[in-house]
Amino acid sequence: PVHRFAADYGVAKMTRRPVRLRPSEASASLRPTKLSEWLLVVLFLSGSAHHALSAAATDVVLAGRGVVAARVARRIRAMSVAERRTSQDLVEQAVRIRFEATAEARRAAFAGLFSCRVASSPSSAKPAAADPRAVVAAGGRSEVGWNTSLGHLEIGDARLVVLDKWAMMEVPVELAWSLIPPALPEERARRGGQGAASDAAASTRQLAVAKPPLGQQQVDLSILRRLLTAEEARHLVSLLPQEFDLDRADVEMVPKRWVMVEREGRPVPGREALAEAMRPIVEERVLPFLREGLACPHCAVCSSIVRRYSHDLGERYRDPPHTDGQAYATVVVALDSAGVDYDGGLYVITDPARPLTVAMQVGDAIVHRWDLQHGVQVDRGRRVSWILWAQDSEPCVPQVEFHQRPFFREAAEQGNAVAMHILGSGQNGRSAEGGRWLRRAAEAGFVKAMASLGAQLQGSDDQEAARWMRLAAAQGDVGARAALGMALLRSGQLPEAEQWVRLAAEGGHPSAQNELGMMLLTGALQRPPEVPEATRWVEAAARQGHSLAQSNLGVCFAEGRGVDRSLPAALYWWTEAATQGLPDALQNLERFRSEQPGWASWPVYTGA
């Protein structure tokens, strides 16, 4: 009878309506008219500690009015007598049965939030029209084929998280990203390798660490449905300034648009109203979840920013794969919706050629730790998100000091390649021990560590540096492809340099796009200039906000090289570059206005 009851009255879909009450207030505050609403609440509380809500649900079901409610109440009472169990036990058992029976359907629904496309052979047929929310471009020159296999992604059971003043749905996700270790120095030596290999092997052996599982590194994240309501998200957006600030600290020389709300746990001057509106959400929802869900009882939010990616002219629309080493945990809250306001969005990494886009809707959030590789690619429209960076305890400290906290070393000693990379990067990498950690991460197969090690070795061992860069580039890392191509260009290896720079440019790397354009424009490849193609690549980088490309494109318009001569266009692009402080652009503006007095009062534009 209990199974029949569960089948008849169980609810398979998930609620979008947040439950805003304390468990003790349930009986007095809510009187739903439909049995399904209560079963839906109890469904996601089954097996949880919130016994008061399930008791209240039973009370309401038994006291229900109407023909259907009365029939349900009679069935429950009859089963209670027959099985000698309380009505509440029966309701809870029925809901638990339904919960278990529909677990796979719920997991499939959340798996549908993740999608990817991967490089395939040029002869592959193009895919049929696909959901625009499911698009993230992978670097490469070949056609694109859709990958529907999510074997590297495990979706856990959805559950209702009931906080003191809020409730939301959480879905845990476990992700396996690829580690492809290169041949170790000892193996190369057996095959006849010479040089610094034996020294590298000796230094690596000084670190007694557990070797990561061959081929995989496990990371996890949580998807929170409706951390905010749509109304709350709209209110936060209404408080944002129209012009975002420029965050210039980026390796690709393309500034990000952001609004810094709090730094080191304190509001930034001028952002007090925004910080005040965000504070209840942080204190009543985000921090309780981090402290309980991530087992981080002393977690503190240290930075609060709002970031924008856009296909508007001159704005950044992508962020390459990276990890958030400045935080123990990151919370990314969507202030708009994928597929509506923009296409693409945040993606997580399984390997460089297989990013998985997450189709976040307004009010949803993703919570992850410091070791998740992720990035952003917006293919259309404008994406705005609220980002919180939390450290494991107060006080909030700079990144260099934060990396000295014990959990990084503990994770590295247990074989976490990202932790090894963190201990071997930046100021940490300047020490002998840091260098050993970096090499260990590279030899474990972490692509970012391979690229970092190659960059670190430039100038001291160029041959070994190129080897590590090639390994990273071969695995699809766009930044490594750009760095390798430019290093080969400096050493005069032009054909191979063009190959790697072109691959990086086609993968969206703005510095590579500008470099390829200038190589083609100036004849640096020892063949006649290819002006039309050159200006297309320079313009592609300029449209991403790359200051050097903007200045170069201004010159092309001023001289009519590859484009129709246009002084207004030249002034526009020089002004865009000058707002980022580029000296060449400032000099071009001064020289132009001195030589063209009639243009001296031309307006200075800062946007499209």
Side-chain angles (χ1 to χ4, degrees):
V2 176
H3 280 74
R4 285 200 302 272
F5 176 79
D8 291 345
Y9 296 100
V11 180
K13 64 181 181 179
M14 290 172 290
T15 182
R16 291 177 176 269
R17 183 181 306 169
V19 183
R20 309 182 193 182
L21 54 106
R22 303 171 190 267
S24 60
E25 299 171 348
S27 298
S29 302
L30 288 186
R31 287 291 182 270
T33 57
K34 295 181 180 179
L35 172 64
S36 61
E37 293 187 26
W38 267 117
L39 286 179
L40 197 58
V41 173
V42 182
L43 171 66
F44 291 101
L45 293 174
S46 59
S48 75
H50 294 280
H51 197 64
L53 271 181
S54 59
T58 305
D59 293 342
V60 172
V61 169
L62 294 178
R65 299 176 182 177
V67 176
V68 175
R71 185 165 60 245
V72 172
R74 285 196 299 272
R75 289 183 63 183
I76 292 176
R77 290 191 179 98
M79 285 190 293
S80 177
V81 172
E83 300 191 17
R84 297 181 181 180
R85 297 173 60 187
T86 67
S87 299
Q88 181 177 340
D89 286 343
L90 291 174
V91 170
E92 288 183 348
Q93 183 184 356
V95 170
R96 191 173 299 112
I97 291 169
R98 186 65 176 181
F99 183 86
E100 293 171 357
T102 59
E104 190 57 39
R106 287 193 309 279
R107 277 193 289 268
F110 278 94
L113 295 177
F114 293 86
S115 56
C116 68
R117 60 181 183 176
V118 295
S120 61
S121 64
S123 59
S124 300
K126 286 189 176 182
D131 186 344
R133 293 173 295 181
V135 178
V136 160
R141 302 176 61 180
S142 58
E143 298 290 338
V144 170
W146 289 94
N147 174 23
T148 57
S149 172
L150 294 177
H152 46 281
L153 191 75
E154 183 174 339
I155 310 293
D157 285 337
R159 69 186 185 97
L160 189 68
V161 178
V162 181
L163 305 173
D164 190 37
K165 298 181 179 179
W166 195 253
M168 56 194 170
M169 196 68 61
E170 180 204 4
V171 180
V173 179
E174 189 172 274
L175 188 71
W177 50 269
S178 303
L179 284 172
I180 306 177
L184 293 174
E186 297 95 324
E187 184 179 344
R188 292 204 317 278
R190 286 197 301 271
R191 286 187 266 173
Q194 297 178 355
S198 58
D199 294 338
S203 65
T204 301
R205 284 192 294 270
Q206 295 180 31
L207 295 174
V209 299
K211 189 174 181 179
L214 182 64
Q216 284 190 344
Q217 183 105 26
Q218 300 291 334
V219 295
D220 53 52
L221 59 96
S222 290
I223 300 174
L224 303 181
R225 302 306 303 266
R226 301 302 182 265
L227 176 67
L228 307 181
T229 65
E231 292 76 13
E232 288 173 326
R234 284 194 291 269
H235 177 60
L236 294 181
V237 171
S238 71
L239 298 175
L240 295 173
Q242 189 166 359
E243 291 295 330
F244 280 38
D245 300 325
L246 295 181
D247 173 17
R248 296 185 176 88
D250 187 79
V251 294
E252 290 191 347
M253 298 181 66
V254 176
K256 301 173 185 176
R257 307 280 173 156
W258 71 348
V259 175
M260 175 63 75
V261 182
E262 289 191 0
R263 181 184 285 114
E264 296 182 357
R266 294 185 294 274
V268 173
R271 308 296 184 209
E272 291 83 2
L274 191 55
E276 186 66 25
M278 292 174 169
R279 187 168 295 113
I281 299 169
V282 172
E283 294 178 351
E284 297 172 6
R285 304 175 202 175
V286 174
L287 281 176
F289 178 82
L290 293 180
R291 289 167 178 170
E292 180 71 22
L294 299 188
C296 182
H298 305 294
C299 260
V301 171
C302 295
S303 296
S304 174
I305 67 171
V306 176
R307 183 159 282 167
R308 184 177 76 200
Y309 294 89
S310 172
H311 260 277
D312 289 349
L313 191 64
E315 287 207 24
R316 184 174 186 143
Y317 60 82
R318 61 181 292 277
D319 204 1
H322 61 280
T323 56
D324 290 341
Q326 74 277 23
Y328 178 82
T330 298
V331 182
V332 182
V333 186
L335 298 181
D336 44 24
S337 295
V340 178
D341 302 294
Y342 62 91
D343 293 339
L346 183 142
Y347 61 83
V348 295
I349 289 293
T350 53
D351 63 54
R354 190 172 58 183
L356 297 173
T357 309
V358 189
M360 299 175 67
Q361 301 300 294
V362 61
D364 292 350
I366 287 182
V367 180
H368 63 84
R369 292 182 178 85
W370 47 271
D371 56 350
L372 177 73
Q373 291 190 86
H374 60 286
V376 174
Q377 173 111 3
V378 172
D379 299 316
R380 175 196 62 84
R382 176 180 296 187
R383 173 182 178 268
V384 181
S385 59
W386 174 26
I387 303 173
L388 298 165
W389 288 317
Q391 295 185 0
D392 60 324
S393 63
E394 293 183 300
C396 300
V397 296
Q399 179 171 298
V400 175
E401 187 176 342
F402 180 62
H403 288 171
Q404 305 306 314
R405 294 194 172 170
F407 67 85
F408 283 115
R409 180 173 291 274
E410 291 169 3
E413 290 172 349
Q414 292 173 10
N416 188 297
V418 177
M420 296 178 195
H421 183 228
I422 287 173
L423 294 179
S425 303
Q427 293 190 19
N428 294 325
R430 298 174 185 173
S431 66
E433 183 184 24
R436 292 193 292 270
W437 279 120
L438 181 59
R439 183 174 288 274
R440 181 60 177 166
E443 291 177 349
F446 186 32
V447 177
K448 290 297 180 185
M450 294 178 186
S452 298
L453 181 58
Q456 188 182 86
L457 291 172
Q458 283 184 317
S460 59
D461 189 342
D462 290 339
Q463 184 176 357
E464 184 73 355
R467 186 182 82 86
W468 283 109
M469 285 186 181
R470 281 191 176 90
L471 287 168
Q475 291 197 38
D477 187 275
V478 177
R481 289 175 171 178
L484 175 60
M486 294 175 194
L488 293 171
L489 180 65
R490 290 191 295 269
S491 64
Q493 302 177 57
L494 301 184
E496 189 180 2
E498 181 184 2
Q499 174 192 1
W500 289 115
V501 172
R502 187 176 290 275
L503 279 172
E506 291 175 347
H509 195 283
S511 293
Q513 291 173 338
N514 178 66
E515 192 73 23
L516 178 60
M518 297 309 294
M519 288 161 60
L520 296 171
L521 187 66
T522 61
L525 297 174
Q526 295 184 353
R527 61 176 185 257
E530 301 169 36
V531 178
E533 183 185 1
T535 52
R536 286 197 299 271
W537 283 116
V538 173
E539 183 176 358
R543 285 177 172 271
Q544 289 199 61
H546 191 280
S547 58
L548 287 176
Q550 290 173 336
S551 181
N552 291 334
L553 187 59
V555 173
C556 291
F557 276 109
E559 298 179 352
R561 303 184 66 182
V563 292
D564 293 335
R565 188 169 186 265
S566 170
L567 296 182
L571 281 172
Y572 170 79
W573 287 112
W574 283 336
T575 303
E576 285 288 292
T579 60
Q580 298 185 46
L582 186 70
D584 288 350
L586 293 168
Q587 292 175 10
N588 285 336
L589 282 175
E590 291 179 5
R591 180 179 175 184
F592 180 81
R593 286 172 175 157
S594 65
E595 294 179 356
Q596 303 285 340
W599 292 83
S601 60
W602 187 262
V604 175
Y605 293 105
T606 57

